[in-house]
Amino acid sequence: MKRGRESAAKSLVLLACAGILLGSAGVGLAAPAAALSAAEARHLLVRSGTAATPAEIDALIPLSREAAVETILESAADAAATPPPAWIENWVPPRMKELSPEERKLVRRLNRERGLELRAWWMQEMVTTPTPITEVMTLFWHNHFTSSLRKVKAPVLLYRQNRLLRREALGNFARLLKAVARDPAMLIYLDGAKNRKGAPNENFARELFELFTLGEGHYRETDVKEAARAFTGWGIDRRTAAFSFRRQWHDGGDKTVLSSNGPLDGDDVIETLLEQPQTAVFIVEKLWRHFISEKPDRVEVRRLARLFRESGYEIKPLLAALFASDAFWAPENRGRLIKSPVDYIVGTVRLFNLPVSDYRDLARLSRRLGQDLFNPPNVKGWPGGTDWIVAASLLDRQAMAERVTGGRRAQGAQTVAMGGPKKRQAERARRFDDWLASQGAAWQGAEAIALLLLPVSPVDVEILDRNASGALLRQLVLDPAYQLK
């Protein structure tokens, strides 16, 4: 039996806050010997991806925790499988000042259309990728090294940045940081292209310290000012939109940044930041909040940060250690993170193999739910957590679930992945019956299906029958616990 939407929102907030208060449990490495339970396999798949299908769970069950983690991480790719939009090739930056008002208007309209197409491309890649961990980490870095179409106004540059983030998604953080500092989209977004000798722009330097490496309280204001001088001359070639260093704009004088001094340039500043133990701590804490819980364990964070630095900032070994920690597997840390709009939409489509007629609709729905790809709200990115479930977005989530399941209260949701507005509710509801019938015998029980769909016990659904049914599936998708991972 379902309660009202207000009750659902309250239940969801209480569940999430309970996890934040409980925090993480345990330190050290988990025992490697035992094979995974179905619940453990689901937990690993959902946290490292967006969904856990019965087939994926069945494939991991015979493995130990370490072997399962290795299987997921070693499958990661460094390039998208979905071909990019055709206009990506042979793009030439428009010279807006040389265009007429009508021509500028046309360019802006074209950019809006291409921006939506770019979001749809990424949505398609997330839904269809054979390696979900790749897209999870690409999105993680997109929210760390933020840039937006609103400011950059060039979809091609955001695509190129996305390609960079994917290439190093599980690669090397030091290499990624250096490449992002030269990335044209970032240079436009944080005004690095305007940074020149005699008039240094501090925007990039400030976010480099505060949001990309050290975090607040671990640097001085003078460090930001001196670092801004070091990055003078870093710009963009207007003809190609590629990185360009203009020596005549660079301040070659002596500077002091943290522990370094001399005629520092941007690369020297980045190396100085990578030498600081706090940089590794900052990144590990952020990954902890993303994959484990809202309250990092300080002892474990420092252990993992030390491994991170000693590896030369290799990301994949860090993730392996993070996923091997007792805290990651602790039952009290399951179901304590709230699904982002992308988690919710992509995970639902992947889990039930829903047909998608137009991926632009998924992109629009994600924007409506509060996560507009390639357009984070500000330089700090999406805050996540309980911010994902404000009243308006929760209503839209429930409207989407109603439409998916063939319910009657579907107004407000985009027409996505459900066969279009003319499809009758009964047809959508029957899809769940057909999906359940296609699963193996191990997934025909009511408890097994509840375990598959929810990380914790349902809030509003009382399981009375031993056997699963399409009706039970529909109830579980509408349960507040389905919003958690």
Side-chain angles (χ1 to χ4, degrees):
M1 182 177 68
K2 301 191 296 292
R3 301 173 189 163
R5 286 181 175 136
E6 272 189 32
S7 174
K10 188 179 296 183
S11 299
L12 183 55
V13 171
L14 288 174
L15 281 170
C17 290
I20 294 172
L21 292 173
L22 282 170
S24 58
V27 296
L29 295 177
L36 292 178
S37 66
E40 288 175 325
R42 180 202 181 276
H43 176 67
L44 176 60
L45 287 163
V46 171
R47 288 287 176 94
S48 65
T50 55
T53 67
E56 289 169 334
I57 292 174
D58 291 341
L60 290 188
I61 284 176
L63 305 179
S64 67
R65 290 175 176 178
E66 286 72 14
V69 169
E70 182 180 6
T71 296
I72 288 173
L73 295 180
E74 290 306 313
S75 71
D78 61 4
T82 305
W87 43 263
I88 292 295
E89 299 296 332
N90 303 318
W91 174 76
V92 177
R95 302 296 293 269
M96 297 295 284
K97 292 182 179 180
E98 299 176 5
L99 302 180
S100 68
E102 284 301 315
E103 289 172 326
R104 288 197 293 270
K105 185 177 180 180
L106 179 62
V107 169
R108 287 192 290 267
R109 186 178 69 186
L110 189 62
N111 281 341
R112 286 194 298 270
E113 293 172 355
R114 288 178 171 179
L116 179 57
E117 191 176 352
L118 186 64
R119 296 181 186 94
W121 165 80
W122 196 4
M123 273 290 186
Q124 182 175 355
E125 178 65 16
M126 286 191 278
V127 167
T128 61
T129 179
T131 60
I133 184 64
T134 305
E135 298 313 304
V136 166
M137 288 304 298
T138 302
L139 184 56
F140 174 86
W141 294 122
H142 175 51
N143 197 41
H144 183 77
F145 296 112
T146 55
S147 297
S148 78
L149 281 168
R150 282 188 297 270
K151 176 74 176 285
V152 178
K153 295 181 172 59
V156 170
L157 297 186
L158 267 295
Y159 166 78
R160 291 174 182 173
Q161 185 185 81
N162 183 267
R163 186 174 58 188
L164 163 63
L165 299 178
R166 185 175 291 101
R167 188 176 72 231
E168 295 293 349
L170 285 85
N172 184 275
F173 175 73
R175 197 162 56 230
L176 175 59
L177 181 62
K178 294 171 185 176
V180 165
R182 285 173 163 79
D183 177 69
M186 181 62 72
L187 286 166
I188 295 173
Y189 182 65
L190 289 179
D191 303 312
K194 300 177 181 179
N195 193 13
R196 61 188 65 188
K197 181 179 179 179
N201 187 297
E202 298 174 7
N203 287 355
F204 175 74
R206 186 172 304 281
E207 308 314 341
L208 176 65
F209 281 74
E210 180 179 332
L211 299 178
F212 300 165
T213 56
L214 300 179
E216 292 184 81
H218 297 280
Y219 59 90
R220 302 162 301 178
E221 185 66 20
T222 54
D223 293 319
V224 172
K225 293 182 180 298
E226 294 285 87
R229 291 176 56 213
F231 282 102
T232 51
W234 290 38
I236 301 171
D237 187 319
R238 291 186 178 182
R239 297 167 301 173
T240 64
F243 172 79
S244 174
F245 176 67
R246 293 180 171 88
R247 188 169 300 278
Q248 68 274 21
W249 289 0
H250 177 65
D251 183 341
D254 286 349
K255 311 164 190 77
T256 299
V257 178
L258 298 172
S259 58
S260 298
N261 58 74
L264 308 177
D265 61 16
D267 288 325
D268 295 324
V269 171
I270 291 173
E271 288 295 340
T272 298
L273 288 168
L274 292 170
E275 290 169 1
Q276 309 303 310
Q278 175 58 25
T279 293
V281 170
F282 182 74
I283 298 301
V284 170
E285 284 182 340
K286 194 163 187 177
L287 285 166
W288 186 291
R289 292 188 180 94
H290 188 82
F291 287 110
I292 297 181
S293 72
E294 290 286 341
K295 189 177 180 180
D297 182 294
R298 291 184 179 180
V299 175
E300 273 290 84
V301 164
R302 295 200 174 277
R303 179 184 71 84
L304 294 168
R306 185 174 63 253
L307 294 174
F308 193 31
R309 288 188 68 213
E310 290 174 351
S311 74
Y313 287 98
E314 289 293 323
I315 299 167
K316 188 181 292 185
L318 171 60
L319 291 179
L322 192 72
F323 293 158
S325 67
D326 285 342
F328 178 80
W329 298 98
E332 56 265 41
N333 282 333
R334 298 181 197 174
R336 303 310 187 193
L337 300 178
I338 296 173
K339 292 177 180 176
S340 71
V342 167
D343 287 331
Y344 183 69
I345 296 167
V346 173
T348 300
V349 174
R350 284 181 67 95
L351 175 58
F352 297 110
N353 195 27
L354 298 174
V356 181
S357 57
D358 190 339
Y359 282 95
R360 290 176 298 181
D361 290 329
L362 293 188
R364 291 187 184 103
L365 178 58
S366 184
R367 178 175 59 194
R368 182 166 183 151
L369 296 183
Q371 192 170 22
D372 188 12
L373 293 176
F374 297 106
N375 265 323
N378 51 53
V379 71
K380 293 184 177 181
W382 295 285
T386 53
D387 285 70
W388 289 134
I389 51 168
V390 296
S393 63
L394 183 59
L395 289 174
D396 279 327
R397 287 187 183 220
Q398 291 189 324
M400 172 188 163
E402 292 277 4
R403 183 173 288 278
V404 168
T405 60
R408 297 181 180 181
R409 294 180 295 178
Q411 293 182 358
Q414 297 284 346
T415 304
V416 298
M418 294 58 132
K422 295 184 180 180
K423 291 286 186 181
R424 292 182 296 178
Q425 296 168 351
E427 293 178 3
R428 294 196 291 270
R430 190 159 54 245
R431 183 175 291 126
F432 280 76
D433 298 317
D434 295 340
W435 180 89
L436 180 60
S438 70
Q439 305 307 315
W443 298 101
Q444 297 303 314
E447 294 292 341
I449 285 299
L451 179 150
L452 176 68
L453 267 62
L454 309 180
V456 293
S457 299
V459 176
D460 293 339
V461 178
E462 186 178 1
I463 299 176
L464 301 175
D465 297 327
R466 295 180 60 184
N467 296 325
S469 64
L472 176 62
L473 260 69
R474 293 189 287 275
Q475 286 181 303
L476 293 175
V477 170
L478 290 166
D479 193 89
Y482 186 72
Q483 309 286 343
L484 304 174
K485 65 177 181 178

